Structures are given as C-alpha cells and as structure tokens.
Amino acid sequence: MRHQLITPKAGFAVLMLALVASPALSATPAFLPPVSQVQPGMVPFEESSYVLGAGDRLQIDLFDVPEYSGENGRRQVLVDGTVNLPLLGSVSVRGMSLKQAESELSRRYARFFKRPAVTVTLLTPRPLSIGVLGEVSRPGTYTIPLASEAGGTQFPTLTKALQTAGGITQAADVRQVQIRRPQRLGAPQIITVDLWSYVQNGSLQQDVTLRDGDSISVVAATNPNPAESLLLADTTFAGEKGRPVNVAIVGEVFRPGSYLVTGTNPRASTAGAQGTTGSNISNLDKPPTITQAIQVAGGIKPLADIRRIQIRRPTRSGAEQTININLLQLVQAGDLKQDVILQSGDTISIPTATDLTPADAAQIASASFSPDTIRVNIVGEVKQPGVVQVPPNTPMNQALLASGGFDNRRARKGRVELIRLNPDGTVVRRDISVDFAQGINEQTNPAMRNNDIIVVGRSGLTSVTDTLGTVLSPLFSLSNFLRIFGVP
C-alpha cells in the first residue's frame, strides 16, 4: 500500500506522539565524530564514509512514492551544499555521509508521510578540490577528477595528488607527510603518512585515499639523506627528471657562477671552457647531479678539496638545508650516493685543499668532473714554443716534452722559470731545477695548473753568441752597403 500524504497538522500530532513515545527520535542525528591525530604506520582512517558536497549528483528515492522517486528523484548538490526537494524545499546535506542524509530526509519527510523510508544513492561524485603545499614542485590548489572504472569510481590517492603538483622536491621529508582533513563538527583530522614505508615495503595503506577539501603538507627533511634521494627520484611521485635546474657554483672551479644544468652529459674539454650539453637521447630522463654542474662550470681546479663539498639548499619554509658531499668516495670507491641530485636554487661550494697528496691529485685529474685538458704556455728555447694542451696535474717535465723538448743548441737545460698566476691576483715566479728522472713533486717536477707559463732560458754560450751578433750586426750591414758603391 502506498504511503498517504498527511496534513501538516496531523503530521505534527503524529510527530509529537512519536517523540513522547520514543525520546531517542528527538535527538540530533549523529554525525561523524572527530578522529584523533593518526601516527605514522597506523591505518590512517576508515575508507567507508563518503562526505557529500557541492557538485555531487544524487538519486533520492522515497519508498512507495513514485512521484518523488526514480527520474523525479535525481538531484545535484548546489554550491551552498543544499538540495531542493518536493515538500521540503532546500535541505543542507553538506558534510553528511549517505546514511546521515537518508536519516535527515526521513526525519523531515515524517511530517508528511507515515514511516517514510528514504534511500540516497551517489550517482556521480564531484571532482575533488585538494590543496598541496610545502616541498613539491608546484604548490597550490588542484581539482582532481575521479576515474570511472568497471567496478565503480576510483578516488585519487596521495601519490596521485603529489604527481599532479609536479612531484616532491629533493628537500622533502617523505616520512612525515600530513593530510589535514576538515570535519563537519570539531577540529580537522590530521593524518600522518610515511611514504618511505610505501616505497620500501609496498605498504599500500600509506597511499591514502583523498577526500574533497584535504590539504597535503610536505615538510622539509631535517637531515637529508643523499642515498634516499636517489631512490625517491625513481618513484612515481618524484619531480620530473629531465627538468633543467638553475644552480650556483662557487669555489675551486674554473668558471664559478650561475648555470642551468640538465640531466644530460655536459663536458668541459678544456679547463675554463663551459661544458657543452650532450645530445644523447637516452640521457634525457636523468636528473641533473653535482658532477654535471661541476662539468658545466669548466671542471674542478687542481687544488679543489672534493672531500668537503657542500650544497646549501633553500626550502619552502625559508630555512636552508646543508648537504655534505665527499666526491673522493665516488672516485675511489664508486659511491654513487655522493653524486647528489640537484634542484633549483642549490648553491654548490667547493673549498681549497690543504693536504692533497700526489696520488689523490692524479685520481681527481682523471675523474669525469675534471676538464680533459689544461693550457700551459711554454716560451723560450724549446723546439715548439707556444701553448700546449695537457691533462690536468701533468708534471712539468711532461709539459716540456709536449713542446718538443729543449733546443739542444740554445737551451739552458738545467733550470727553467715557472710563472703562476694565483687566484688572489698575485704572481709567483720560481726557478726550478730540471731533472727528467724525477717523478712528480713540488720541488723539481711540480704539477701544472691551467695557464702556467714555463720560460726556458738560453745557455751561456748562446747568450754570448747572440750578444755578439747584436753588436756586430750593424758593422756587417755597413760593410755590405759600401760594397754596393764599390768602396773597398
């Protein structure tokens, strides 16, 4: 039998009798209780209750009342969170679950029907409005549509929202990602997520399903770990790998300054020349690293202390991270975690070494972030005077041989002069004894630096001969001139 519509007066009387008979019916409907803050590793929340909001399309059916059901019962939640219903007018359902909306509408329709049974079904959920802030590439507010699948509607998750915001930065602390979820009553719910557990253990419960109005906060790590950064760079929620970054590099490089660094393979062939970007297509998805930045800046200088390199990294909060790097571990032991991935705004500082051994210097000179060659100018009594290009940290003896060696007839073979321009603008001049039997050492066979000048002087006999030639040359010229006119 169909429900009969009752007058408001009769309905009021029936409602009063029901309230007297059952006080529980007069109580305010129970809403979702606020949830206390969830700690990392715990199941964040129950996935059951969808909360209604503006944009949802609903099917509202009143049992045994076909004129208010079926096609006539399709409604959309308006921007103010209400739905317009027959007899009831505007009813607010914002913040309610489907069960709560059914209870509220049944309570209201009880004024007009005896024991009304209302069913509320979600036809089309609204797109979610999600805020993402902190250590992501593009913080802001995003509207994320829901994906439709054969089994129903798929809601976006935390990692999907991070992807939409351009991915996390290298400064992010993925162990303390927070989701702030507004509640209809009371304080917002705070959900703390450990995405490192998600990456390491495949803990899918950490990839939280989002709700409309959620705000995601990604804080900066207190103690950044380069090894973790390498692993996180390959995740789906990491930043775009091939994106160029703008960094500054200062200290012991040939061309300090600001550079745009990509993930391709730049290379400085000559010391002091800016590295050029490679065209290898397979490298386009690689993130830019510190060794590539050094190459772009012309390579390290011979006195660079690569054991104490620092990266100063600004964060979204205004604080600054400091990352200590030992590239000697990369050269000697192949420790790839020392080749830190860069992000825009990084400042790389390379100090001067005070205790560099010849063995370490030789290893560093052969590293990929050293220039292929340096320029040494050799002048004086050699077979091929001029600029020679030799590998970094080449001994002086090898540089002399690269110019063809001494001119045996004219050169002073026992000693040369080394002229070196220091970074502070001063010039050092040294007389160095030459011994081709000596290995590399600072006294008799020092390692060459870029733009060193080696002066090879004349021998004593050559100096006398050249002097006599200079003095006598005018006399011989006058004698030849007189012979032209027949003067004896």
Side-chain angles (χ1 to χ4, degrees):
M1 180 180 296
R2 294 182 55 185
H3 286 288
Q4 295 181 354
L5 182 65
I6 61 178
T7 62
K9 181 176 181 181
F12 179 75
V14 171
L15 180 61
M16 291 301 295
L17 288 173
L19 292 177
V20 172
S22 178
L25 294 178
S26 63
T28 303
F31 298 106
L32 295 176
V35 181
S36 59
Q37 182 166 340
V38 182
Q39 299 301 319
M42 297 174 59
V43 178
F45 63 98
E46 295 183 359
E47 299 279 2
S48 58
S49 52
Y50 179 82
V51 177
L52 296 174
D56 286 330
R57 293 188 67 247
L58 306 177
Q59 175 66 55
I60 302 175
D61 294 317
L62 190 58
F63 179 71
D64 208 21
V65 185
E67 57 267 31
Y68 297 156
S69 305
E71 291 288 340
N72 298 324
R74 294 185 179 179
R75 296 287 185 271
Q76 180 163 333
V77 182
L78 302 179
V79 69
D80 60 353
T82 64
V83 289
N84 289 320
L85 297 173
L87 302 178
L88 302 182
S90 180
V91 179
S92 176
V93 294
R94 174 184 287 168
M96 294 183 182
S97 67
L98 295 176
K99 292 296 184 184
Q100 291 170 350
E102 289 176 353
S103 298
E104 175 65 13
L105 296 180
S106 296
R107 183 183 69 81
R108 293 189 179 227
Y109 271 121
R111 296 175 55 197
F112 307 97
F113 301 97
K114 294 179 179 180
R115 294 186 298 276
V118 179
T119 303
V120 180
T121 306
L122 181 65
L123 293 179
T124 306
R126 66 194 181 279
L128 303 189
S129 181
I130 306 296
V132 187
L133 63 151
E135 294 301 327
V136 292
S137 297
R138 298 187 299 272
T141 301
Y142 293 90
T143 300
I144 305 178
L146 279 62
S148 298
E149 296 183 352
T153 302
Q154 180 67 41
F155 283 78
T157 62
L158 171 61
T159 55
K160 173 64 176 177
L162 294 178
Q163 291 174 33
T164 304
I168 59 173
T169 68
Q170 289 296 310
D173 182 359
V174 297
R175 289 182 170 85
Q176 297 290 328
V177 180
Q178 286 194 340
I179 301 173
R180 186 182 182 90
R181 176 162 297 168
Q183 302 295 300
R184 192 162 189 258
L185 295 175
Q189 178 187 16
I190 304 297
I191 305 167
T192 303
V193 181
D194 182 3
L195 283 180
W196 182 250
S197 176
Y198 170 73
V199 172
Q200 289 291 93
N201 308 320
S203 179
L204 292 178
Q205 68 181 18
Q206 302 295 335
D207 194 14
V208 175
T209 301
L210 299 178
R211 294 289 184 261
D212 188 45
D214 283 353
S215 290
I216 302 168
S217 176
V218 184
V219 298
T222 305
N223 298 307
N225 187 331
E228 291 185 4
S229 296
L230 290 174
L231 293 176
L232 291 173
D234 291 327
T235 61
T236 58
F237 54 88
E240 184 181 348
K241 288 184 179 180
R243 180 183 303 164
V245 296
N246 191 17
V247 301
I249 182 166
V250 297
E252 291 296 313
V253 291
F254 283 103
R255 294 173 61 89
S258 177
Y259 292 95
L260 190 67
V261 184
T262 66
T264 54
N265 290 327
R267 184 67 181 165
S269 59
T270 304
Q274 182 175 342
T276 57
T277 301
S279 59
N280 190 350
I281 301 292
S282 64
N283 292 326
L284 294 179
D285 62 343
K286 292 185 178 181
T289 63
I290 185 171
T291 56
Q292 291 167 338
I294 293 173
Q295 292 169 6
V296 172
I300 58 170
K301 290 183 177 179
L303 291 183
D305 188 351
I306 64 171
R307 295 169 296 183
R308 299 180 180 87
I309 297 176
Q310 281 192 340
I311 295 178
R312 300 194 303 274
R313 174 168 292 167
T315 64
R316 297 285 185 188
S317 64
E320 190 175 73
Q321 291 179 341
T322 300
I323 305 172
N324 297 312
I325 300 169
N326 184 355
L327 285 184
L328 193 59
Q329 288 292 324
L330 173 64
V331 174
Q332 293 180 338
D335 187 1
L336 289 176
K337 68 175 179 290
Q338 301 297 331
D339 195 12
V340 173
I341 297 173
L342 300 176
Q343 73 175 36
S344 286
D346 283 352
T347 298
I348 304 166
S349 178
I350 304 178
T352 303
T354 56
D355 54 352
L356 191 64
T357 65
D360 288 344
Q363 274 192 314
I364 294 170
S366 62
S368 63
F369 47 86
S370 289
D372 291 338
T373 59
I374 60 174
R375 296 162 57 90
V376 178
N377 193 9
I378 303 178
V379 298
E381 306 303 330
V382 290
K383 294 179 181 179
Q384 298 173 356
V387 176
V388 295
Q389 294 190 349
V390 294
N393 286 307
T394 294
M396 183 187 71
N397 291 345
Q398 290 187 19
L400 288 170
L401 293 175
S403 66
F406 292 127
D407 184 334
N408 292 324
R409 294 177 54 191
R410 298 177 56 82
R412 182 182 60 180
K413 302 177 183 178
R415 185 174 296 274
V416 298
E417 183 182 22
L418 174 63
I419 303 175
R420 174 169 292 168
L421 179 65
N422 292 321
D424 59 2
T426 60
V427 176
V428 175
R429 304 172 72 103
R430 294 174 53 193
D431 282 337
I432 300 176
S433 298
V434 178
D435 185 353
F436 286 101
Q438 291 289 329
I440 185 170
N441 65 82
E442 191 60 27
Q443 288 72 38
T444 61
N445 193 16
M448 294 290 94
R449 300 183 192 173
N450 194 49
N451 293 326
D452 276 353
I453 300 174
I454 301 174
V455 180
V456 180
R458 294 174 293 181
S459 65
L461 178 60
T462 301
S463 297
V464 172
T465 304
D466 289 349
T467 301
L468 289 174
T470 301
V471 172
L472 298 177
S473 178
L475 297 178
F476 287 110
S477 299
L478 178 61
S479 174
N480 293 333
F481 177 77
L482 293 175
R483 286 196 186 99
I484 295 175
F485 295 96
V487 178

